[in-house]
Amino acid sequence: MNPYFTDQHEALRREVRDFADGEEWDPEEFPLPTPVRDALFVNLLTEDNLPYYFHTIDNVFGRGVWGEWIRRWTAEEQRHSIVIRDYLTVTRAIDPIELERGRMAQV
């Protein structure tokens, strides 16, 4: 299986551009219903910050079968957060500054 790199996806490369200096995020550039954008934002905060909660989760489940499962699950959720964050950022579907502030506030 070949690794997937966001910047190598041809269709995605045609749809994205960097923010210019001083350019504000515009929700109309990638229109989504507010509940959908909010759900993606909250989902990403949860997925993105899961490794920070890992210590507590690991202490509850400890070693053994459940501990092994928790470690694998946490690694998989981290992969999800990377893909979701990359997609939302490069398509400009979400305000990257608001996302980072939310992430830091949650941790």
Side-chain angles (χ1 to χ4, degrees):
M1 180 172 166
N2 292 329
Y4 173 81
F5 299 104
T6 309
D7 65 322
Q8 294 176 354
H9 192 279
E10 187 62 36
L12 194 55
R13 273 198 308 228
R14 288 190 301 265
E15 296 176 19
V16 302
R17 66 182 179 79
D18 287 335
F19 283 93
D21 287 340
E23 180 181 7
E24 297 287 324
W25 175 74
D26 180 7
E28 296 304 315
E29 192 167 340
F30 193 94
L32 286 173
T34 300
V36 172
R37 193 179 312 273
D38 291 347
L40 288 168
F41 181 85
V42 171
N43 178 264
L44 183 54
L45 287 179
T46 303
E47 301 251 1
D48 210 19
N49 287 323
L50 183 62
Y52 297 102
Y53 310 139
F54 174 76
H55 179 71
T56 301
I57 295 169
D58 192 48
N59 284 338
V60 170
F61 292 100
R63 304 288 172 209
V65 176
W66 279 110
E68 179 67 24
W69 185 86
I70 288 297
R71 286 184 285 286
R72 289 175 188 237
W73 175 70
T74 302
E76 183 64 24
E77 293 303 308
Q78 181 63 26
R79 289 182 193 107
H80 296 167
S81 74
I82 291 166
V83 171
I84 294 168
R85 186 183 341 93
D86 285 354
Y87 178 78
L88 293 176
T89 301
V90 300
T91 59
R92 302 163 71 99
I94 202 160
D95 183 351
I97 294 171
E98 180 184 357
L99 179 61
E100 183 61 17
R101 287 182 178 148
R103 192 176 74 81
M104 296 311 292
Q106 188 179 20
V107 174

